Amino acid sequence: MATGSKRKTPPGILLLRRIRGRNWSPKMFRYAILLITFIAYACYHASRKPSSIVKSVLHPEPSTKPPREHINTYPWPVGNVFVKEEETDVDHVNKGWEPFNGKGGTSRLGEIDVAFLACYSLGMYVAGHLGDTLDLRLFLTWGMIGSGFFVGLFGMGYFWDVHAFWFFLVMQMAAGLFQATGWPSVVAVVGNWFGKRKRGLIMGIWNAHTSVGNICGSLIAAGVLEYGWGWSFIAPGFVMSLGGVLVYLFLAAYPEDVGFPDINSNSGKFIKRKRNIEEVDVEVAGESSGSEPGYEHKTGVGLLQACMIPGVIPFALCLFFSKLVAYTFLYWLPFYLSQTPIGGEYMSVKTAGNLSTLFDVGGIVGGILAGYVSDKFKARATTAATFMYAAIPAMLVYHFYGGVSQTVNILLMMVAGLFVNGPYALITTAVSADLGTHKSLQGDSRALATVTAIIDGTGSAGAALGPLLTGFLSTLGWQAVFYMLVVGALCAGLLLTRLVIAEIREKLGYVDEGNKPNLISSFVFAYENVFVDPLI
């Protein structure tokens, strides 16, 4: 779309203006932006959960499961308020679904996961550039509707009695391509409305949409599972499409679309223009020459230029391993819970799906905590690396002691979720938004979606690799899977070492007053030159 082409004000906002007789204030628009993008990306993640819920239905392992009367359907502390007894015919379910119920079924389940995530990762790079050049509202709308359509088609394979592996593979690949439109778009929209001040905390709270989406997707998919596993895909797909309609009607992707000027990327205040505009409750951050505010599209940056922004490559590689860990839990935790005795008992498929949502509850806390800490100390890299290192003992303790009892399992699962999802949430939100408005960029360039796509696209390649490896490693035992996760978390932390040292040097100062090197600065300098530089 050429520069200078016009975008339209969302029809829902035009209708509200006619009803109210005046425009919303900037503060009200900001609240609306956070809410709509929160709902939108929660829908994206909700539509990704069904495959993890139905894994044990598509590929049951009856030889490892005890008789029905020994399956714990009511785990503490949620009891029958959270999980109702499954009415599904267990003998029928245990037959599985061809082509996933035979030998190598877990490998095929891993293959459709990697097909989805590989297309998601590749599509991200294209989607990011398009998001910086096209109307984000329309781009996000069609992405959500298309994604919901193909997720629903996957579930239709149950009703059409489809058993061809290629059908499920193609549906997942198409859904992955449409899902790639989501993250660059929502981060760019939030970045368009908010500056760097308190961005970590704001986006940490806002990023709870990932965990809320996972929880809602799990509950929806598990709730309709008794009517046939196809409904576990159709229901979230339908909700996803409804979310697309909401975005089309009410999402103001840019302040200019609703009569306000640009946002100063540092202060978060509106930039006053030379031309007269309505400035109700607008905070002015000084004069700035420019064109008339309104519907103009600004020039986006290229992938190569975005990659050259300091910090983009290290954070992108860190996210590769961070998402490898996070998405392994996303896709395989319900299956792991259903196949592992906890307190001497096995869980039903539905119970395992519902209980796995508590991992995401811990993830919500982790995302908010990581955002707050990184804002407080102005140290994004140090915060992310610290969380990744802490995730290593948390995952090992969960694996070795999670089977003691359901109480212990729940507590350790939430702690693991806190440390695993904390850095993942921080990098994909505040870090991406910071780098997308980096001072090295020209002021008239839009790079938010492109930078976000590079970072999250690289991370999504790791997200594809983790579930794929799990499909193979799980046949050797779950201990092998957890060792893989430990290696992934360690690599994620190490890749930020240079940025961590740079942040520490900035905070402590390279020398004390009088230009005399202090002990800490000397140690940091020696560590960087001895251990870091030779590796680069």
Coordinates of all heavy atoms in Angstrom, one line a residue, residues 190-269:
V190 N -0.2 -1.6 20.3 CA 0.1 -1.1 21.7 C 1.3 -0.1 21.7 O 1.2 0.9 22.4 CB 0.4 -2.3 22.6 CG1 0.8 -1.8 24.0 CG2 -0.9 -3.2 22.8
G191 N 2.3 -0.5 20.9 CA 3.4 0.4 20.8 C 3.1 1.8 20.2 O 3.7 2.8 20.5
N192 N 2.1 1.8 19.3 CA 1.6 3.1 18.7 C 1.0 4.0 19.7 O 0.9 5.2 19.5 CB 0.7 2.8 17.5 CG 1.3 2.2 16.3 OD1 2.5 2.3 16.1 ND2 0.6 1.5 15.5
W193 N 0.4 3.4 20.8 CA -0.4 4.2 21.7 C 0.4 4.4 23.1 O -0.1 5.2 23.9 CB -1.7 3.5 22.0 CG -2.7 3.7 21.0 CD1 -2.9 2.9 19.9 CD2 -3.7 4.7 20.9 NE1 -4.0 3.4 19.1 CE2 -4.4 4.5 19.7 CE3 -4.0 5.8 21.7 CZ2 -5.5 5.4 19.4 CZ3 -5.0 6.7 21.3 CH2 -5.7 6.5 20.2
F194 N 1.5 3.7 23.3 CA 2.2 3.8 24.6 C 3.7 4.1 24.4 O 4.3 3.5 23.5 CB 2.0 2.6 25.5 CG 0.6 2.4 25.9 CD1 -0.4 1.7 25.2 CD2 0.2 2.9 27.2 CE1 -1.7 1.5 25.6 CE2 -1.1 2.7 27.6 CZ -2.1 2.0 26.8
G195 N 4.3 4.9 25.2 CA 5.7 5.1 25.2 C 6.4 4.2 26.0 O 5.9 3.2 26.6
K196 N 7.8 4.4 26.2 CA 8.6 3.5 27.0 C 8.4 3.5 28.5 O 8.7 2.6 29.2 CB 10.1 3.7 26.7 CG 10.5 3.4 25.2 CD 12.0 3.6 25.0 CE 12.4 3.3 23.6 NZ 13.8 3.5 23.4
R197 N 7.9 4.6 29.0 CA 7.7 4.8 30.4 C 6.7 3.8 31.0 O 5.6 3.7 30.5 CB 7.2 6.2 30.7 CG 7.1 6.5 32.2 CD 6.8 8.0 32.4 NE 6.6 8.2 33.9 CZ 5.4 8.2 34.5 NH1 4.3 7.8 33.8 NH2 5.3 8.4 35.7
K198 N 7.2 2.9 31.9 CA 6.4 1.9 32.5 C 5.9 0.9 31.5 O 4.9 0.1 31.7 CB 5.2 2.4 33.3 CG 5.6 3.3 34.5 CD 4.4 3.7 35.3 CE 4.8 4.5 36.5 NZ 3.6 4.9 37.3
R199 N 6.6 0.8 30.3 CA 6.2 -0.2 29.3 C 6.3 -1.6 29.8 O 5.4 -2.4 29.4 CB 7.0 0.1 28.0 CG 6.6 -0.8 26.9 CD 7.5 -0.5 25.7 NE 6.9 0.6 24.9 CZ 7.6 1.2 23.9 NH1 8.8 0.9 23.6 NH2 7.0 2.2 23.3
G200 N 7.3 -1.9 30.5 CA 7.5 -3.3 31.0 C 6.4 -3.7 31.9 O 5.8 -4.8 31.7
L201 N 5.9 -2.9 32.8 CA 4.8 -3.3 33.7 C 3.5 -3.3 33.0 O 2.7 -4.3 33.1 CB 4.7 -2.3 34.9 CG 3.6 -2.5 35.9 CD1 3.7 -3.9 36.5 CD2 3.6 -1.4 36.9
I202 N 3.3 -2.3 32.1 CA 2.0 -2.3 31.4 C 1.9 -3.5 30.5 O 0.9 -4.2 30.4 CB 1.9 -0.9 30.6 CG1 1.7 0.2 31.5 CG2 0.7 -1.0 29.6 CD1 1.8 1.6 30.8
M203 N 3.0 -3.7 29.7 CA 2.9 -4.9 28.8 C 3.0 -6.2 29.5 O 2.6 -7.2 29.0 CB 4.0 -4.7 27.7 CG 3.8 -3.4 26.9 SD 4.9 -3.4 25.4 CE 3.9 -4.1 24.2
G204 N 3.6 -6.2 30.7 CA 3.6 -7.4 31.5 C 2.2 -7.8 31.9 O 1.9 -9.0 31.9
I205 N 1.5 -6.8 32.4 CA 0.1 -7.1 32.7 C -0.7 -7.5 31.5 O -1.5 -8.4 31.5 CB -0.5 -5.9 33.5 CG1 0.2 -5.6 34.8 CG2 -2.0 -6.1 33.7 CD1 -0.2 -4.3 35.4
W206 N -0.5 -6.7 30.5 CA -1.3 -6.9 29.2 C -0.9 -8.3 28.6 O -1.8 -9.0 28.1 CB -0.9 -5.8 28.2 CG -1.4 -6.0 26.8 CD1 -2.7 -5.8 26.4 CD2 -0.6 -6.3 25.7 NE1 -2.7 -6.0 25.0 CE2 -1.5 -6.3 24.6 CE3 0.7 -6.6 25.5 CZ2 -1.0 -6.7 23.3 CZ3 1.2 -7.0 24.2 CH2 0.3 -7.0 23.1
N207 N 0.3 -8.7 28.8 CA 0.7 -10.0 28.2 C 0.1 -11.2 28.9 O 0.2 -12.3 28.4 CB 2.3 -10.1 28.3 CG 2.8 -11.3 27.4 OD1 2.7 -11.3 26.2 ND2 3.3 -12.3 28.1
A208 N -0.7 -10.9 29.9 CA -1.4 -12.0 30.6 C -2.4 -12.7 29.6 O -2.9 -13.8 29.8 CB -2.2 -11.5 31.8
H209 N -2.7 -12.0 28.4 CA -3.6 -12.5 27.4 C -3.1 -13.9 26.9 O -3.9 -14.8 26.6 CB -3.7 -11.6 26.3 CG -2.5 -11.1 25.6 ND1 -1.5 -12.0 25.2 CD2 -2.1 -9.9 25.3 CE1 -0.5 -11.3 24.7 NE2 -0.8 -10.0 24.7
T210 N -1.8 -14.1 26.9 CA -1.2 -15.4 26.5 C -1.7 -16.5 27.4 O -2.2 -17.5 26.9 CB 0.3 -15.3 26.5 OG1 0.7 -14.4 25.5 CG2 0.9 -16.7 26.1
S211 N -1.5 -16.3 28.7 CA -1.9 -17.3 29.7 C -3.4 -17.4 29.8 O -4.0 -18.5 29.9 CB -1.3 -17.0 31.0 OG 0.1 -17.1 31.0
V212 N -4.1 -16.3 29.7 CA -5.6 -16.3 29.8 C -6.1 -17.0 28.6 O -7.1 -17.8 28.7 CB -6.2 -14.9 29.8 CG1 -7.7 -14.9 29.6 CG2 -5.8 -14.2 31.2
G213 N -5.5 -16.8 27.4 CA -6.0 -17.5 26.2 C -5.7 -19.0 26.3 O -6.6 -19.8 26.0
N214 N -4.5 -19.4 26.9 CA -4.3 -20.8 27.1 C -5.3 -21.5 28.0 O -5.7 -22.6 27.8 CB -2.8 -21.0 27.6 CG -1.8 -20.7 26.6 OD1 -2.0 -20.7 25.4 ND2 -0.6 -20.4 27.1
I215 N -5.6 -20.7 29.1 CA -6.5 -21.3 30.1 C -7.9 -21.4 29.5 O -8.5 -22.5 29.6 CB -6.6 -20.3 31.3 CG1 -5.2 -20.4 32.1 CG2 -7.7 -20.7 32.3 CD1 -5.1 -19.3 33.2
C216 N -8.4 -20.4 28.8 CA -9.7 -20.4 28.2 C -9.8 -21.5 27.1 O -10.8 -22.2 27.0 CB -10.1 -19.1 27.6 SG -10.3 -17.8 28.8
G217 N -8.7 -21.6 26.3 CA -8.7 -22.6 25.3 C -8.7 -24.0 25.8 O -9.4 -24.9 25.3
S218 N -8.0 -24.2 26.9 CA -8.0 -25.5 27.6 C -9.4 -25.9 28.1 O -9.9 -27.0 28.0 CB -6.9 -25.6 28.7 OG -5.7 -25.4 28.2
L219 N -10.0 -24.9 28.8 CA -11.3 -25.1 29.4 C -12.4 -25.4 28.3 O -13.2 -26.2 28.5 CB -11.7 -24.0 30.3 CG -10.8 -23.7 31.5 CD1 -11.3 -22.5 32.3 CD2 -10.8 -25.0 32.4
I220 N -12.3 -24.6 27.3 CA -13.3 -24.8 26.2 C -13.1 -26.1 25.5 O -14.1 -26.9 25.3 CB -13.2 -23.6 25.1 CG1 -13.6 -22.3 25.7 CG2 -14.0 -23.9 23.9 CD1 -13.3 -21.1 24.9
A221 N -11.8 -26.4 25.1 CA -11.6 -27.7 24.4 C -11.9 -28.9 25.3 O -12.5 -29.9 24.8 CB -10.1 -27.7 24.0
A222 N -11.5 -28.8 26.6 CA -11.8 -29.9 27.5 C -13.3 -30.0 27.8 O -13.9 -31.1 27.9 CB -11.1 -29.8 28.8
G223 N -14.0 -28.9 27.8 CA -15.4 -28.8 28.2 C -16.3 -29.5 27.1 O -17.4 -30.1 27.4
V224 N -15.9 -29.4 25.8 CA -16.8 -30.0 24.8 C -16.2 -31.3 24.3 O -16.7 -31.9 23.3 CB -16.9 -29.0 23.6 CG1 -17.6 -27.7 24.0 CG2 -15.5 -28.7 23.0
L225 N -15.1 -31.8 24.9 CA -14.5 -33.0 24.5 C -15.4 -34.2 24.5 O -15.3 -35.1 23.6 CB -13.3 -33.3 25.3 CG -12.4 -34.5 24.9 CD1 -11.8 -34.2 23.5 CD2 -11.2 -34.6 25.9
E226 N -16.3 -34.2 25.4 CA -17.2 -35.4 25.6 C -18.2 -35.5 24.4 O -18.7 -36.6 24.1 CB -18.0 -35.3 26.8 CG -18.9 -34.1 26.9 CD -19.6 -33.9 28.3 OE1 -18.9 -33.4 29.2 OE2 -20.7 -34.3 28.5
Y227 N -18.4 -34.5 23.6 CA -19.2 -34.5 22.4 C -18.5 -34.9 21.2 O -19.1 -35.0 20.1 CB -19.9 -33.2 22.2 CG -20.7 -32.7 23.4 CD1 -20.2 -31.6 24.2 CD2 -21.8 -33.3 23.8 CE1 -20.9 -31.2 25.3 CE2 -22.5 -32.9 25.0 CZ -22.0 -31.8 25.7 OH -22.7 -31.3 26.8
G228 N -17.2 -35.2 21.3 CA -16.4 -35.5 20.2 C -15.2 -34.6 20.1 O -15.4 -33.4 20.2
W229 N -14.0 -35.1 19.8 CA -12.8 -34.2 19.8 C -12.9 -33.1 18.7 O -12.2 -32.1 18.9 CB -11.5 -35.1 19.7 CG -11.3 -35.8 18.4 CD1 -11.5 -37.1 18.1 CD2 -10.8 -35.2 17.1 NE1 -11.2 -37.4 16.8 CE2 -10.8 -36.3 16.2 CE3 -10.4 -34.0 16.7 CZ2 -10.4 -36.1 14.9 CZ3 -10.0 -33.8 15.4 CH2 -10.0 -34.9 14.5
G230 N -13.7 -33.3 17.7 CA -13.8 -32.3 16.7 C -14.3 -30.9 17.3 O -13.9 -29.9 16.8
W231 N -15.2 -31.0 18.2 CA -15.7 -29.8 18.8 C -14.7 -29.0 19.6 O -14.8 -27.8 19.8 CB -16.9 -30.1 19.8 CG -18.2 -30.5 19.1 CD1 -18.8 -31.7 19.0 CD2 -19.0 -29.6 18.3 NE1 -19.9 -31.6 18.3 CE2 -20.1 -30.3 17.8 CE3 -18.9 -28.2 18.0 CZ2 -21.1 -29.8 17.0 CZ3 -19.9 -27.7 17.2 CH2 -21.0 -28.4 16.8
S232 N -13.6 -29.7 20.0 CA -12.5 -29.1 20.8 C -11.8 -28.1 19.9 O -11.0 -27.2 20.3 CB -11.6 -30.1 21.3 OG -12.2 -30.9 22.3
F233 N -11.9 -28.3 18.5 CA -11.3 -27.3 17.6 C -12.3 -26.3 17.0 O -12.0 -25.2 16.9 CB -10.7 -28.1 16.4 CG -9.4 -28.9 16.8 CD1 -9.5 -30.2 17.3 CD2 -8.2 -28.3 16.6 CE1 -8.3 -30.8 17.6 CE2 -7.0 -29.0 16.9 CZ -7.1 -30.3 17.4
I234 N -13.5 -26.8 16.8 CA -14.5 -25.9 16.2 C -14.9 -24.8 17.1 O -15.0 -23.6 16.7 CB -15.8 -26.8 15.8 CG1 -15.4 -27.7 14.7 CG2 -16.9 -25.9 15.4 CD1 -16.5 -28.7 14.3
A235 N -15.1 -25.1 18.4 CA -15.5 -24.1 19.4 C -14.5 -22.9 19.5 O -14.8 -21.7 19.4 CB -15.8 -24.7 20.7
P236 N -13.2 -23.2 19.7 CA -12.2 -22.1 19.8 C -12.1 -21.4 18.4 O -11.8 -20.2 18.4 CB -10.9 -22.8 20.2 CG -11.3 -24.1 20.8 CD -12.6 -24.5 20.1
G237 N -12.2 -22.1 17.3 CA -12.1 -21.5 16.0 C -13.2 -20.5 15.8 O -13.0 -19.4 15.2
F238 N -14.4 -20.8 16.3 CA -15.6 -19.9 16.2 C -15.3 -18.7 17.0 O -15.6 -17.5 16.6 CB -16.8 -20.6 16.6 CG -18.1 -19.7 16.6 CD1 -18.6 -19.3 15.4 CD2 -18.7 -19.3 17.8 CE1 -19.7 -18.5 15.3 CE2 -19.8 -18.5 17.7 CZ -20.3 -18.1 16.5
V239 N -14.8 -18.9 18.3 CA -14.5 -17.7 19.1 C -13.5 -16.8 18.5 O -13.6 -15.6 18.6 CB -14.1 -18.2 20.5 CG1 -13.5 -17.1 21.4 CG2 -15.2 -19.0 21.2
M240 N -12.5 -17.4 17.8 CA -11.4 -16.7 17.2 C -12.0 -15.8 16.1 O -11.7 -14.6 15.9 CB -10.5 -17.7 16.5 CG -9.3 -17.1 15.7 SD -8.1 -16.4 16.8 CE -6.7 -16.3 15.7
S241 N -12.9 -16.3 15.3 CA -13.6 -15.5 14.2 C -14.4 -14.4 14.8 O -14.4 -13.3 14.2 CB -14.4 -16.4 13.4 OG -13.7 -17.4 12.7
L242 N -15.1 -14.6 15.9 CA -15.8 -13.5 16.6 C -14.9 -12.4 17.0 O -15.2 -11.2 16.9 CB -16.6 -14.0 17.7 CG -17.8 -14.9 17.4 CD1 -18.5 -15.4 18.7 CD2 -18.8 -14.2 16.5
G243 N -13.7 -12.8 17.5 CA -12.7 -11.8 17.9 C -12.3 -11.0 16.7 O -12.0 -9.8 16.9
G244 N -12.2 -11.6 15.5 CA -11.8 -10.8 14.3 C -12.9 -9.7 14.0 O -12.5 -8.6 13.6
V245 N -14.1 -10.1 14.2 CA -15.2 -9.1 14.0 C -15.1 -7.9 15.0 O -15.3 -6.7 14.6 CB -16.6 -9.8 14.2 CG1 -17.7 -8.7 14.1 CG2 -16.8 -10.8 13.1
L246 N -14.7 -8.2 16.3 CA -14.6 -7.2 17.3 C -13.4 -6.2 16.9 O -13.6 -5.0 17.0 CB -14.2 -7.8 18.6 CG -13.9 -6.9 19.8 CD1 -15.1 -6.1 20.2 CD2 -13.3 -7.6 21.0
V247 N -12.3 -6.8 16.4 CA -11.2 -6.0 15.9 C -11.6 -5.1 14.8 O -11.3 -3.9 14.8 CB -10.0 -6.9 15.5 CG1 -9.0 -6.1 14.8 CG2 -9.4 -7.5 16.8
Y248 N -12.3 -5.6 13.8 CA -12.7 -4.8 12.7 C -13.6 -3.6 13.1 O -13.5 -2.5 12.6 CB -13.5 -5.7 11.7 CG -14.1 -4.9 10.5 CD1 -13.3 -4.5 9.5 CD2 -15.4 -4.6 10.5 CE1 -13.8 -3.8 8.4 CE2 -16.0 -3.8 9.5 CZ -15.1 -3.4 8.4 OH -15.7 -2.7 7.4
L249 N -14.5 -3.8 14.1 CA -15.4 -2.8 14.4 C -14.8 -1.7 15.3 O -15.2 -0.5 15.2 CB -16.6 -3.4 15.2 CG -17.5 -4.3 14.3 CD1 -18.6 -5.0 15.2 CD2 -18.2 -3.5 13.2
F250 N -13.9 -2.1 16.2 CA -13.5 -1.1 17.3 C -12.0 -0.8 17.4 O -11.7 0.0 18.2 CB -14.0 -1.7 18.6 CG -15.5 -1.7 18.7 CD1 -16.2 -2.9 18.6 CD2 -16.3 -0.5 18.9 CE1 -17.6 -3.0 18.7 CE2 -17.6 -0.6 19.0 CZ -18.3 -1.8 18.9
L251 N -11.1 -1.5 16.7 CA -9.7 -1.3 17.0 C -9.2 -0.1 16.2 O -9.2 -0.1 15.0 CB -8.9 -2.6 16.6 CG -7.4 -2.4 16.8 CD1 -7.1 -2.4 18.3 CD2 -6.6 -3.6 16.2
A252 N -8.7 0.9 16.9 CA -8.1 2.1 16.3 C -6.6 1.8 16.4 O -5.9 2.0 17.4 CB -8.4 3.3 17.1
A253 N -6.0 1.3 15.3 CA -4.6 0.9 15.3 C -3.6 2.0 15.5 O -2.5 1.8 16.0 CB -4.3 0.1 14.0
Y254 N -4.0 3.2 15.1 CA -3.1 4.4 15.2 C -3.9 5.5 15.8 O -5.0 5.7 15.5 CB -2.6 4.8 13.8 CG -2.0 3.6 13.0 CD1 -2.9 2.9 12.1 CD2 -0.7 3.3 13.0 CE1 -2.4 1.8 11.4 CE2 -0.2 2.3 12.3 CZ -1.0 1.5 11.4 OH -0.5 0.5 10.7
P255 N -3.2 6.3 16.6 CA -3.9 7.5 17.2 C -4.4 8.4 16.1 O -5.5 9.1 16.2 CB -2.8 8.2 18.0 CG -1.8 7.1 18.3 CD -1.8 6.2 17.1
E256 N -3.7 8.5 14.9 CA -4.1 9.4 13.8 C -5.5 9.0 13.3 O -6.2 9.8 12.7 CB -3.1 9.4 12.7 CG -1.7 9.8 13.1 CD -0.9 8.5 13.3 OE1 -1.1 7.8 14.3 OE2 0.0 8.3 12.5
D257 N -5.8 7.7 13.4 CA -7.1 7.2 12.8 C -8.3 7.8 13.6 O -9.4 7.7 13.0 CB -7.1 5.7 12.9 CG -6.2 5.0 12.0 OD1 -5.5 5.7 11.2 OD2 -6.1 3.8 12.0
V258 N -8.1 8.2 14.8 CA -9.3 8.8 15.5 C -9.1 10.2 15.9 O -9.6 10.7 16.9 CB -9.5 7.9 16.8 CG1 -10.1 6.6 16.4 CG2 -8.3 7.7 17.6
G259 N -8.2 10.9 15.2 CA -8.1 12.4 15.3 C -7.0 12.9 16.2 O -7.0 14.0 16.6
F260 N -6.1 12.0 16.7 CA -5.0 12.4 17.6 C -3.7 12.3 16.8 O -3.5 11.5 15.9 CB -5.0 11.5 18.8 CG -6.2 11.6 19.7 CD1 -7.1 10.6 19.7 CD2 -6.5 12.8 20.4 CE1 -8.2 10.7 20.5 CE2 -7.6 12.9 21.1 CZ -8.5 11.8 21.2
P261 N -2.7 13.1 17.3 CA -1.3 13.0 16.6 C -0.6 11.8 17.1 O -1.0 11.0 17.8 CB -0.7 14.3 17.1 CG -1.3 14.6 18.4 CD -2.7 14.1 18.3
D262 N 0.7 11.7 16.6 CA 1.6 10.6 16.9 C 1.9 10.6 18.4 O 1.8 11.6 19.1 CB 2.9 10.7 16.1 CG 2.7 10.2 14.7 OD1 1.8 9.5 14.5 OD2 3.5 10.6 13.9
I263 N 2.4 9.5 18.9 CA 2.9 9.3 20.2 C 4.4 9.5 20.3 O 5.1 8.9 19.4 CB 2.5 7.9 20.8 CG1 1.0 7.8 20.9 CG2 3.2 7.7 22.1 CD1 0.4 8.6 22.0
N264 N 4.9 10.2 21.2 CA 6.4 10.2 21.4 C 6.8 8.9 22.0 O 6.3 8.5 23.1 CB 6.7 11.4 22.4 CG 8.2 11.5 22.6 OD1 8.9 10.6 23.2 ND2 8.8 12.6 22.2
S265 N 7.7 8.2 21.3 CA 8.0 6.8 21.7 C 8.7 6.7 23.1 O 8.7 5.7 23.7 CB 8.9 6.2 20.7 OG 10.2 6.9 20.6
N266 N 9.3 7.8 23.6 CA 9.9 7.8 24.9 C 9.0 8.2 26.0 O 8.8 7.5 27.0 CB 11.2 8.7 24.9 CG 12.3 8.2 24.1 OD1 12.6 7.0 24.2 ND2 12.9 9.0 23.2
S267 N 8.3 9.3 25.9 CA 7.5 9.8 27.0 C 6.1 9.2 26.9 O 5.4 9.2 27.9 CB 7.4 11.4 26.9 OG 6.7 11.7 25.7
G268 N 5.6 8.8 25.7 CA 4.3 8.3 25.6 C 3.3 9.4 25.5 O 2.1 9.2 25.5
K269 N 3.7 10.7 25.4 CA 2.8 11.8 25.2 C 2.6 12.1 23.7 O 3.4 11.7 22.9 CB 3.4 13.1 25.9 CG 3.6 12.9 27.4 CD 4.2 14.2 28.0 CE 4.3 14.0 29.5 NZ 4.9 15.2 30.2

